[in-house]
Amino acid sequence: MKNTAKHIYTALIFLFLYAPIATLMVLSFNASKTRSKWGGFTINWYSRLFQNEEILEALGNTLLIAVVSAFVATIIGTIACVAMTGMKKRSRTILMGITNIPMLNAEIVTGISLMLLFISMGLRFGLGTILLSHITFNIPYVILSVMPRMKQLNPSTYEAALDLGASHVTAFFKVVFPDLLPGVLSGFLMAFTMSLDDFIITHFTKGAGVDTLSTKIYTEVKKGIKPEMYALSTLIFITVLILLLLVNMAPAKNKTPKNPKPL
Amino acid sequence: MTSKNKWLSSPYILWSVMFIIIPLGMIFYYGLTDKTGAFTLENITAIATAEHAKALWLSLLLSIISTVICFLLAYPLAMILSNMKVNQHSFIILIFILPMWMNFLLRTLAWQTLLEKNGVINSILNFLHLPGMNIINTPYAIILGMVYNFLPFMVLPLYNVLSKIDENVLDASRDLGAGSVHTFFRIILPLSIPGIISGITMVFVPALTTFVISTLLGGSKILLIGNVIEQEFTQASNWHLGSGLSIVLMIFIILNMIASAIFDKEGEGSML
Amino acid sequence: MEKELIQLVDISKSFDGQMVLDELNLNIHENEFVTLLGPSGCGKTTTLRILGGFTNPDTGKVIFDGTDITQIPPNKRQLNTVFQKYALFTHMTIAENIAFGLKVKKKSKSYIDDKIRYALKLVNLEGYENRMPNSLSGGQQQRIAIARAIVNEPKVLLLDEPLGALDLKLRQEMQYELIRMKNELGITFVYVTHDQEEALTMSDTIVVMNQGYIQQIGSPESIYNEPENAFVADFIGDSNIISATMIEDKLVNILGTRFACVDTGFGRNRPVDVVIRPEDVNLVEPDQGTIQGVVTHLIFKGVHYEMEVMAAGFEWLVHSTTLFPVGKEVGIRVDPFNIQIMNKPESEDEEAVAIDI
C-alpha cells in the first residue's frame, strides 16, 4: 500500500519532468507546422533539418562553445583544485567564496556584468566573448566536482611516488591524477551540459549574427519555432540518452549485485 | 604539495579577478553613476517607482511561491529516492540532469502546447469530464514554468543530505522510543537543513531573476524584475538604470547567500 | 542462575535468499552479561537487531519477560541499543542527545536534568552537557552513546561491537568500564563482538556463533577449556586440533600413540577430534615424552616462547617458558585432563564450517 503510493508519487514527478520532452519529440513528427494541431505523421522535418544551414550553423557554434569552454574550464578548474589544497585555509576560503559567486549569483547579473566588461574592454562581440563567459561560469562546476575527490586523496600516495623516485610531475600524473579522474570527467560533463543549455548569459554576450541554438530559438519564439528545431533537439536528446545508457550499463556488470545486508 | 605549486593558483585567481570581480565592480560603477559619469543613487531608488516596484513585488511573490511548491514536491521525492538504496547515486543525479540535454527554452515552450486551451492537458481533463484550466499567459503558468525548470535543483541537494543520514541514527531514535513522526521532525528534518537551504537558494535565485520563463509562458503583459532589467539593456539601452536595478536584485541574492553560509558551513548541501 | 528474561524461540532469518539465522534458540537470564561471539557474517548482529526490533525474523518468536514481543516496534520495547558507530545525533548537544528518549516519554525537566547528571557521572564525562558530539573523541562518543541508552532504564542493554572503532588501549580500558557500569546498573547486557579476548574478559556467558548456528553456549572458562567442536576451539585462542580415534573410555589414539584422557561416553574405536591448547603441551627430554619430535620454529613472545614441534607427522604448536632451540629433539607430554575430545563434524556442511574461518 505505502509502497504503491510512493511509486505513484515518483512516477507523477517524472511525468511532470519528462512530459514536455515527450511533447517536443511528438512535435518533431508532426506534419502540421503549428504546434497546436496534429497534422499526421512525418519524418520530413528530419530531412529538412540537414538542409537548414542556419540551424546547422547554430548547432556548430553551440557544440564548439560547449566543447572548448568545458575543456578550458576543466584545465583551469583542476589546476585550481590542486593549487587550493596547498593554500592556507584563509586564502582557500576566500577563493572558494569567489568560486561560488557565478553559481549563486543570478545568471542575468553575471550576463550583464560580463557584457559591461567586454564593452569597456572594446572587445568585438562574437564567439570569443561567448567562450570567455562560458568558461567563467563553467569553472565552478569543475571545481565543485574535483574538490571532493581532492579531499579524499591520500597525500601519502603522492609522497610514496616521490619516495620511489618519481619527479613531481610524474608523481602527479601517475598517482594523483588517476584518482582525480572521475571528478575531472564529471566536472567536464557538467560544464559541457551547462554550456549547452545556457541561454541567459549567451543572450547578453553574443554579437549580432552569431547564434547558438538557444539564442536562435529565442529569436524564433515570436514568429514560431521551426519544426526542424524539434527534430534536432530530439536527435540530440536521444543520442545523449543512448550514450549515457551505454556508459551506465558497461561498469554495472563488474559491480557486485548488491551491498550485503548487515548481519 | 606545498609552496612549490603556489604559482599554480595564479591562472584561476587571474581569471576570477578578470571575469568575476571586475565585472561585478562594473555593475556597481554603472549602477551608481549617471550618463555623465557623476555619482547618483537615482538608479537604485528607481526601484520605488510604481512600475518597478510592481515588477519586483510580483517577482518576489512568484519566486517564493515556486520555491515553497518545489520544496513541498521535492522533499517527499528525495526521501523516497534516498530510501531506495540504489547503489547508483550517479543514476539518480543523471535522471534529473538528463532533461537539460533538451534545450531549456524548448522544454518551457512545450508547456505552451500542453497548457493551451485545446492543448494536451485540457484534452485529457475534458476526456475525464473535469473542468478545463486556462492558465496560459497568467502568473500561474509562470509559477508552473519555474517549478518545472528548477525542481531538480531542489531535489538534488535534498537527496544528497538525506541519503547521507546514517541508518543507525534513525534506528537509535526509534530505539529511544521515538515514533516515525517524532523521528522525522526531531532527527531527519534538522539533519537535512543544509540541503534545504541549498535547495531554496538554487530555486529562489533563478526564479526571482528570470525573464525567460515570464516571456515564454506569461505572454507579453506580465513583467518581472528580470524582464525590466533585460529591457533596459537590450531595448532601452539604459545600462545605468539596468545596473542599478541589478544591484537591488543582488541585495536579495546576498541575503540568501548569507543565510546559506550560516546554515551550511560544511558545504554539505551541495548538488553533486 | 537468575530467572529467564529473554527467550529466542526457533528464530530463522534470511536476506535475499541467503540463510543468516537457522532456527536459533537462546535464553538470556536477568542480570547476565551475554556475549554473542563469532566471525563476521555469523548472524550475531542480526540476532541483536531482532532483539532490538530493527529486523523482523522470518519465523520464530521473541519472548521478553513472558510476553511475545516479536511484532512490537523498537520504540515500544524495554530494550535500548548502543550502536556500532555510536549513531549520536550530531545536530544536538550531549545533553540533548541524552535527554532524547526521556523527552519522548514526556518526563519532567527536573527528572531529565537529574538523569543527565547521573548518566554523565556514570560514564565519567561530567561537564560535557553543552558540547557537540563531533567535538568528542571516539571513546567519549561511545560513552555518550551508552549514557543516552541507559537513562531510559532499559531492562536490557544491547551493545553492537561498541568498542570496534577504538584503539587497543582504550578498548581494554572500556572493557573494565563496561563491567563496572553493568554491576552498578544491575541490568542485562547483550554484547556482540568478533573479538574473543573481549568476550572472555567481560562475559558471564558466551554464545559462540557461526553461519547462523549457535556452536556453543557456556561460561568463558568452559568455552576456552572444553570447546565442543573444532570451530570453537579454533576461534577461541590458539590450539592444536588433531584427528584421533577414541579407543575406549579415557583412552585415545593420537597420531598412532595412546594417550590417557578423562573423557568418557564416545564409544569404542570412534574417530574424534582432540583439542590440546599450546600451553598444555609439555616439552621434556625425548625419553620422557609420550611421543618424540624436533623443534622446527621458535619465536620469543614476551611472556613465553612459541615453538613448533614436528612430531608423528603433525606440527604441534607449543607455548612454554622454557626455551628449546630449533633442531633440538624433544619429547611431548600432555596431562590427561588437558586433552579435550570432540565429536567429528557429522555433515559436510559442518566440515565447511570448521575450515571456513
Side-chain angles (χ1 to χ4, degrees), chain C residues 126-200:
Chain C
E126 288 145 297
Y128 278 70
E129 283 88 346
N130 295 319
R131 298 274 292 268
M132 295 306 277
N134 285 341
S135 71
L136 267 54
S137 72
Q140 290 171 331
Q141 289 189 41
Q142 188 56 74
R143 287 159 195 255
I144 297 303
I146 294 169
R148 185 179 68 176
I150 52 125
V151 289
N152 301 287
E153 300 179 353
K155 289 202 176 170
V156 180
L157 190 64
L158 307 175
L159 301 104
D160 185 6
E161 307 225 14
L163 310 184
L166 307 181
D167 64 46
L168 181 68
K169 195 146 188 315
L170 202 54
R171 207 154 67 218
Q172 286 169 343
E173 233 176 82
M174 280 300 288
Q175 287 173 14
Y176 294 113
E177 286 277 298
L178 280 171
I179 298 170
R180 178 184 64 80
M181 283 181 217
K182 172 171 174 305
N183 292 336
E184 223 163 289
L185 292 165
I187 59 172
T188 308
F189 274 36
V190 181
Y191 190 96
V192 159
T193 183
H194 62 267
D195 184 334
Q196 42 121 349
E197 201 192 298
E198 222 168 82
L200 293 172

Side-chain angles (χ1 to χ4, degrees), chain C residues 233-291:
Chain C
D234 207 32
F235 194 73
I236 311 278
D238 296 322
S239 48
N240 296 293
I241 302 172
I242 313 169
S243 247
T245 313
M246 199 73 184
I247 299 168
E248 54 183 55
D249 280 356
K250 300 190 181 180
L251 190 62
V252 61
N253 179 338
I254 303 174
L255 304 166
T257 309
R258 288 167 175 234
F259 281 79
C261 63
V262 293
D263 290 281
T264 58
F266 283 88
R268 290 176 156 266
N269 296 318
R270 270 280 307 281
V272 291
D273 281 329
V274 301
V275 175
I276 303 167
R277 294 285 177 195
E279 63 271 25
D280 294 333
V281 179
N282 299 319
L283 294 187
V284 291
E285 287 304 313
D287 51 333
Q288 290 167 21
T290 321
I291 49 177

